[in-house]
Each structure stands twice: as C-alpha cells, then as structure tokens.
C-alpha cells in the first residue's frame, strides 16, 4: 500500500495563475515533508520542506501547507510560470535513517 | 564541479554481465543514498550510507551490492540482473540523515537485455 499519494497525475494551469498540487499520507507519525521538482532527463530538485510543528512554509512563489488532522499537504505556486512545467513529487521522511517515501508525482503544465 | 554526479548516464547490459554505477558528490555531505525509479512507480529507496556505514537496506536483492569507500563516493555493483531491474537509478546525498533535504544526481538509465 502506498503511504504517500498524489492522486492527480497531471495539472494544467494558465501562466500567472495559481497552481495547487496535493499530496496525502497515511501515517500520522510522519513529521517532515518535502516537495521536489523534476525536469526530463534530470534528477529531482529540492523545492521546499515543512516540519509538522508548522502548518505553512513560504519561499518566494512557493508555499507548502500542512494539514495534520487530514494528513494532507499541498504546494501552491503563484504566479505560475511556463518554466514551472515539470513533474512535482511530494515526499515524507520515515524514521531517522533518511529514508524518503515519495508519491507518484504530478505533471504540471503551465501554458503561456 | 558541484552537486551530485552519476556515471554512466545510460547503461545496457545482459543478465549475466557485471557492471557498476558510480556516484560522486561535491557538497561535503556525510550521507548518501541509492534510489530506484521503475516505470510508472514512485522513487523507491534502496540503500542509505551515513559516514560510510550502511544504515538502511530496503530489502534489496543481493544482486545489487552497494559500496561506499568514503563520504564522497558511492557505487552500486550489479550482477546477474533481471529484466525487471531495468529502471532509472538515482543517487542522492545530504548533510546528515534526518531532517535534511537530499540532493539528487541525474540518474543512470539501466536497461537489462
């Protein structure tokens, strides 16, 4: 069973609008969450993270929201730019060994 | 040179071959990781090394053998692989294990004939 789920395989947004990517997890013990972006033929690039002691973390155009009661996190990108078109993965840290558990990814397309 | 470098970028091998994947990080990190991404599946952790010691083996078959001679280098030795082992193999590093973002290389695309 998948412990981290990104239920939307793809998302299309107009340039300048907000992109909202969603992620659900199953284990309430998870306490550190990350978002990565991946372009074709490149490795994932770290975007932003959030600890369970917070419900929001912001870095420029990127904001991650955490709803612990719903076991849900989301990544907001505003304003969206064509260069944001990529696959976005959420990940959770499991335990103390550095093990990341990834979701399946959501492909974001930002149209000019 | 900066970041995490993986070689080769592409590898085609037969099931009886022996080959190795190499990863090198220039970030001064102490932890290194191997991940596997099969088609239409999420990235899956294989191994974790922290200060050259293996701290996690995610039930990986013995035909995959990791080696970490120092904190900057990580190898994945491959032997008698199966067609289902065809995948993208990604290396990552972080300052420490725990609440640290992991930085990924661009991966090795492995095809088993």
């Amino acid at each position: 069973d998948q412990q981290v789920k990104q239920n939307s395989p793809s998302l299309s947004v107009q340039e300048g609008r907000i992109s909202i990517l969603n992620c659900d997890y199953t284990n309430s013990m998870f306490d550190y969450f990350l978002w990565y972006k991946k372009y074709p033929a490149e490795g994932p690039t770290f975007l932003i993270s959030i600890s369970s002691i917070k419900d929001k973390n912001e870095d420029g155009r990127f904001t991650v929201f955490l709803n612990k009661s719903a076991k849900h996190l989301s990544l907001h990108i505003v304003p969206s730019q064509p260069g944001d078109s990529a696959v976005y993965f959420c990940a959770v840290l499991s335990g103390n060994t550095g093990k990341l558990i990834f979701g399946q990814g959501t492909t974001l397309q930002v149209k000019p | 040179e900066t970041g995490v470098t993986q070689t080769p970028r592409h590898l085609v091998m037969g099931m009886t071959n022996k080959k190795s994947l190499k990863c090198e990080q220039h970030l001064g990190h102490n932890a290194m990781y191997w991940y596997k991404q099969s088609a239409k599946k999420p990235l899956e952790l294989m191994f974790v090394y922290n200060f050259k010691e293996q701290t996690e083996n995610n039930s990986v078959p013995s035909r995959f053998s990791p080696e970490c001679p120092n904190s900057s280098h990580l190898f994945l030795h491959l032997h008698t692989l199966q067609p289902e082992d065809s995948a993208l193999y990604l290396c990552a590093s972080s300052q420490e294990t725990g609440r640290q973002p992991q930085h990924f290389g661009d991966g090795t695309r492995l095809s088993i004939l």
Side-chain angles (χ1 to χ4, degrees), chain A:
Chain A
D1 287 343
Q2 284 184 284
Q3 299 185 68
V4 181
K5 295 183 181 179
Q6 294 176 255
N7 291 318
S8 297
S10 62
L11 175 67
S12 183
V13 171
Q14 206 67 36
E15 180 179 7
R17 306 295 290 266
I18 185 170
S19 295
I20 300 177
L21 299 110
N22 294 302
C23 180
D24 297 296
Y25 59 94
T26 57
N27 190 337
S28 58
M29 298 298 292
F30 292 145
D31 61 3
Y32 186 67
F33 308 86
L34 309 91
W35 283 95
Y36 282 84
K37 176 172 73 173
K38 186 179 184 302
Y39 293 120
E42 294 184 12
T45 302
F46 169 72
L47 272 177
I48 193 169
S49 63
I50 188 167
S51 162
S52 61
I53 62 173
K54 294 185 172 182
D55 54 19
K56 176 183 173 181
N57 189 25
E58 188 173 353
D59 183 1
R61 296 185 297 114
F62 301 90
T63 303
V64 55
F65 294 91
L66 176 62
N67 183 334
K68 291 183 287 294
S69 61
K71 295 198 281 289
H72 177 84
L73 68 156
S74 61
L75 175 68
H76 292 211
I77 307 173
V78 56
S80 301
Q81 299 173 353
D84 296 330
S85 298
V87 181
Y88 288 79
F89 295 95
C90 69
V92 302
L93 182 67
S94 175
N96 297 320
T97 60
K99 178 178 180 178
L100 289 181
I101 302 175
F102 283 84
Q104 313 95 300
T106 296
T107 300
L108 174 65
Q109 183 184 26
V110 180
K111 297 180 179 178

Side-chain angles (χ1 to χ4, degrees), chain B residues 3 6 9-11 23 35-36 50 56 59 65 70 76 79 88-89 94 97 99 102-106:
Chain B
Q6 290 188 242
R9 293 295 310 274
H10 301 272
L11 179 62
C23 176
Y35 285 86
K36 173 184 178 182
N50 194 29
E56 178 92 23
S59 303
S65 175
N70 55 62
L76 188 62
H79 174 53
L88 179 67
Y89 290 85
S94 63
T97 59
R99 295 186 179 192
Q102 294 174 21
H103 299 262
F104 285 82
D106 289 336

